[in-house]
Coordinates of all heavy atoms in Angstrom, one line a residue:
L242 N 197.8 -147.7 183.0 CA 198.6 -147.6 184.3 C 199.5 -146.4 184.2 O 200.3 -146.2 183.3 CB 199.4 -148.9 184.5 CG 198.6 -150.2 184.8 CD1 199.5 -151.3 184.8 CD2 197.9 -150.1 186.2
H243 N 199.5 -145.6 185.2 CA 200.3 -144.5 185.3 C 201.7 -144.8 186.0 O 201.7 -145.0 187.2 CB 199.6 -143.3 186.2 CG 198.4 -142.8 185.5 ND1 198.5 -142.1 184.3 CD2 197.2 -142.8 185.8 CE1 197.3 -141.8 183.9 NE2 196.4 -142.1 184.9
V244 N 202.6 -145.3 185.2 CA 203.9 -145.7 185.8 C 205.0 -145.0 185.0 O 204.8 -144.3 184.0 CB 204.1 -147.2 185.5 CG1 203.0 -148.0 186.3 CG2 204.0 -147.5 184.0
S245 N 206.2 -145.0 185.6 CA 207.4 -144.4 185.0 C 207.8 -145.1 183.7 O 207.3 -146.2 183.4 CB 208.6 -144.4 186.0 OG 209.0 -145.8 186.1
E246 N 208.5 -144.3 182.9 CA 209.0 -145.0 181.6 C 209.9 -146.1 181.8 O 209.8 -147.1 181.2 CB 209.8 -143.8 180.9 CG 210.4 -144.3 179.5 CD 211.0 -143.3 178.7 OE1 211.1 -142.1 179.3 OE2 211.6 -143.6 177.6
E247 N 210.6 -146.1 182.9 CA 211.5 -147.3 183.2 C 210.6 -148.4 183.5 O 210.9 -149.6 183.0 CB 212.4 -147.0 184.4 CG 213.3 -148.1 184.8 CD 214.1 -147.8 186.0 OE1 214.1 -146.6 186.5 OE2 214.9 -148.5 186.5
L248 N 209.5 -148.4 184.3 CA 208.6 -149.4 184.6 C 207.9 -149.8 183.4 O 207.6 -151.0 183.1 CB 207.7 -149.0 185.7 CG 208.2 -149.2 187.1 CD1 207.1 -148.7 188.1 CD2 208.6 -150.6 187.4
A249 N 207.5 -148.9 182.6 CA 206.7 -149.2 181.3 C 207.6 -150.1 180.3 O 207.1 -151.0 179.8 CB 206.3 -147.9 180.6
N250 N 208.9 -149.8 180.3 CA 209.8 -150.6 179.5 C 209.9 -152.0 180.1 O 210.0 -153.0 179.3 CB 211.2 -149.9 179.4 CG 211.1 -148.6 178.6 OD1 210.3 -148.5 177.7 ND2 212.0 -147.6 178.8
L251 N 209.9 -152.1 181.4 CA 210.1 -153.4 182.1 C 208.9 -154.2 181.7 O 208.9 -155.4 181.5 CB 210.2 -153.2 183.5 CG 210.5 -154.4 184.4 CD1 211.7 -155.1 184.0 CD2 210.5 -154.1 185.9
F252 N 207.7 -153.5 181.8 CA 206.3 -154.3 181.5 C 206.5 -154.8 180.1 O 206.0 -156.0 179.8 CB 205.2 -153.4 181.7 CG 204.9 -153.1 183.1 CD1 204.0 -151.9 183.4 CD2 205.4 -153.7 184.2 CE1 203.8 -151.6 184.6 CE2 205.0 -153.6 185.5 CZ 204.3 -152.5 185.8
A253 N 206.9 -154.0 179.1 CA 207.0 -154.4 177.8 C 207.8 -155.6 177.6 O 207.7 -156.4 176.6 CB 207.4 -153.3 177.0
E254 N 208.8 -155.8 178.4 CA 209.8 -156.9 178.2 C 209.5 -158.2 179.0 O 209.1 -159.2 178.4 CB 211.2 -156.4 178.6 CG 211.8 -155.3 177.8 CD 213.2 -154.9 178.2 OE1 213.6 -155.4 179.2 OE2 213.7 -153.9 177.6

Side-chain angles (χ1 to χ4, degrees):
L242 290 171
H243 295 297
V244 297
S245 68
E246 182 177 353
E247 181 180 359
L248 279 178
N250 292 333
L251 185 61
F252 290 161
E254 293 178 1

